[in-house]
Amino acid sequence: MSANGSPTGQQPTPTYDSAFLKACRREPVPHTPVWFMRQAGRSLPEYRKVREGIGMLESCMRPDLVTEITLQPVRRHGVDAAIYFSDIVVPLKAIGIDLDIKPGVGPVVQQPVRTRADLARLRDLTPEDVSYVTEAIGLLTRELGSTPLIGFAGAPFTLASYLVEGGPSRTYENAKAMMYGDPELWADLLDRLAEITAGFLKVQIEAGASAVQLFDSWAGALAPADYRRSVLPASAKVFDAVAGYGVPRIHFGVGTGELLGLMGEAGADVVGVDWRVPLDEAARRVGPGKALQGNLDPTVLFAGREAVETKTREVLETAAGLEGHVFNLGHGVMPSTDPDALTHLVEYVHTQTAR
């Protein structure tokens, strides 16, 4: 593909002129595009209904279900992009790691990765391992038409944290102990995960995803020096691996205000910003040549329409001078969010920013 995101020597794809992709490329847009992390999920009654009695991992492996769930927020909210319904541990499950997503807990790994011998369990990911992804994205792109589909994956650090800890953690003591105490093993683990992650993103892009987002959900637990030395090389390897496809690459983490410049340096075209840092200040930290994504606090959606509009205007005002801006929340949609509040938010951003 060419650097502008359209297939080399061919006409641009149906999504090429979408507001979302234009904003990612820092081009003029008809309105500020909007999508939400976790827009397809527990906040929607139609999602809860279709997933009733079906485990999370099974849901991610059924193309018909993935297609329906991914489309639900596009139909309901009129968002400017869909995001592929999956989970960051899906590629780990696909290569044979014994794990499950337990309700109310999250991903739980039966045998944590703690030694060099454990690395042997992390084999390469092949397209055949995730054939259901290729099938689902084929179904989705036909249904979505001119609405872009965002593919995604977990970043090496966040995946490593789950693998080493054996599940969610607040302190990451085992992962950090490896990072500080056995830096060679840590580097090899992240490098292996970078290859797996890059393979997962390539499958999604080749199947038709118009952009990709790398979620480094737990990177905010790191000091900048540790991120630069022990994490950035692996994230950069992922972004480099998919650079030739010409699709926008988004990088997002939570609590990463001190890391924004480094996250952009890793190779992202768009840097996601949580609600803790105003977008104009985030732009200063990231530097020129990058679009920004964000960054309304998700809890504002519980405060009533007037408060939502006030806080949304503040976000839009701080974004007014940006090279490119994709409106999003500063983290995922919370499960008890009123879906009507999200629908109104999309309409409000579109109306306020119409050009």
Side-chain angles (χ1 to χ4, degrees):
M1 295 183 74
S2 66
N4 65 10
S6 60
T8 304
Q10 299 178 19
Q11 293 299 312
T13 62
T15 63
Y16 181 76
D17 286 326
S18 64
F20 169 73
L21 290 182
K22 281 178 174 286
C24 291
R25 297 193 301 261
R26 295 175 287 120
E27 297 173 359
V29 291
H31 59 263
T32 298
V34 187
W35 73 278
F36 304 116
M37 291 176 284
R38 293 194 195 134
Q39 63 187 15
R42 289 172 290 173
S43 65
L44 299 180
E46 57 265 40
Y47 168 84
R48 294 193 294 271
K49 181 177 180 180
V50 78
R51 273 236 19 234
E52 194 170 356
I54 304 173
M56 179 62 183
L57 282 172
E58 182 185 347
S59 300
C60 296
M61 297 174 187
R62 287 178 45 176
D64 58 335
L65 203 53
V66 169
T67 301
E68 169 59 22
I69 293 171
T70 303
L71 290 171
Q72 285 176 350
V74 179
R75 296 191 199 110
R76 180 186 272 263
H77 304 313
V79 286
D80 293 280
I83 184 163
Y84 183 76
F85 175 76
S86 187
D87 189 272
I88 64 170
V89 299
V90 163
L92 299 180
K93 183 72 172 180
I95 62 170
I97 298 299
D98 187 3
L99 60 82
D100 196 12
I101 300 175
K102 297 191 175 180
V105 178
V108 176
V109 180
Q110 292 305 310
Q111 293 180 278
V113 173
R114 301 278 173 82
T115 68
R116 183 159 294 279
D118 291 329
L119 288 183
R121 291 190 278 133
L122 299 175
R123 66 168 176 82
D124 289 342
L125 179 84
T126 69
E128 291 72 30
D129 292 322
V130 287
S131 58
Y132 46 86
V133 173
T134 300
E135 182 180 347
I137 290 180
L139 295 170
L140 276 165
T141 52
R142 287 193 290 274
E143 290 284 339
L144 287 166
S146 61
T147 301
L149 175 66
I150 305 167
F152 83 92
F157 172 76
T158 292
L159 293 179
S161 296
Y162 278 116
L163 284 171
V164 176
E165 298 293 339
S169 173
R170 292 183 180 276
T171 57
Y172 314 101
E173 64 263 32
N174 293 297
K176 287 188 172 184
M178 182 187 293
M179 183 177 73
Y180 296 133
D182 195 342
E184 288 187 6
L185 175 59
W186 175 259
D188 289 345
L189 170 60
L190 260 67
D191 189 71
R192 185 76 56 85
L193 290 170
E195 292 175 359
I196 293 165
T197 298
F200 191 51
L201 290 179
K202 286 179 179 179
V203 167
Q204 294 175 70
I205 296 168
E206 290 176 5
S210 297
V212 290
Q213 176 158 307
L214 194 65
F215 283 86
D216 212 349
S217 306
W218 310 134
L222 297 167
D226 291 330
Y227 180 91
R228 177 179 288 283
R229 178 178 55 250
S230 302
V231 175
L232 191 152
S235 293
K237 182 173 182 175
V238 175
F239 284 124
D240 287 346
V242 299
Y245 291 99
V247 303
R249 299 159 297 169
I250 311 168
H251 204 182
F252 175 75
V254 184
T256 52
E258 298 299 321
L259 306 178
L260 288 172
L262 293 169
M263 291 177 72
E265 191 177 316
D269 304 297
V270 183
V271 177
V273 184
D274 72 16
W275 66 92
R276 296 171 178 87
V277 181
L279 290 175
D280 50 359
E281 170 60 18
R284 187 191 67 78
R285 297 183 188 186
V286 171
K290 310 283 184 183
L292 296 187
Q293 178 176 279
N295 69 335
L296 184 71
D297 186 335
T299 61
V300 172
L301 288 158
F302 297 92
R305 183 164 292 190
E306 183 177 348
V308 170
E309 292 181 356
T310 298
K311 298 300 288 185
T312 299
R313 284 196 303 273
E314 291 177 7
V315 171
L316 295 174
E317 286 166 5
T318 61
L322 301 183
E323 295 181 66
H325 177 222
V326 176
F327 188 95
N328 207 314
L329 303 179
H331 198 190
V333 174
M334 299 175 75
S336 53
T337 303
D338 180 357
D340 289 342
L342 291 167
T343 303
H344 175 70
L345 177 55
V346 175
E347 294 171 350
Y348 186 75
V349 172
H350 285 173
T351 300
Q352 290 295 302
T353 61
R355 296 165 174 83

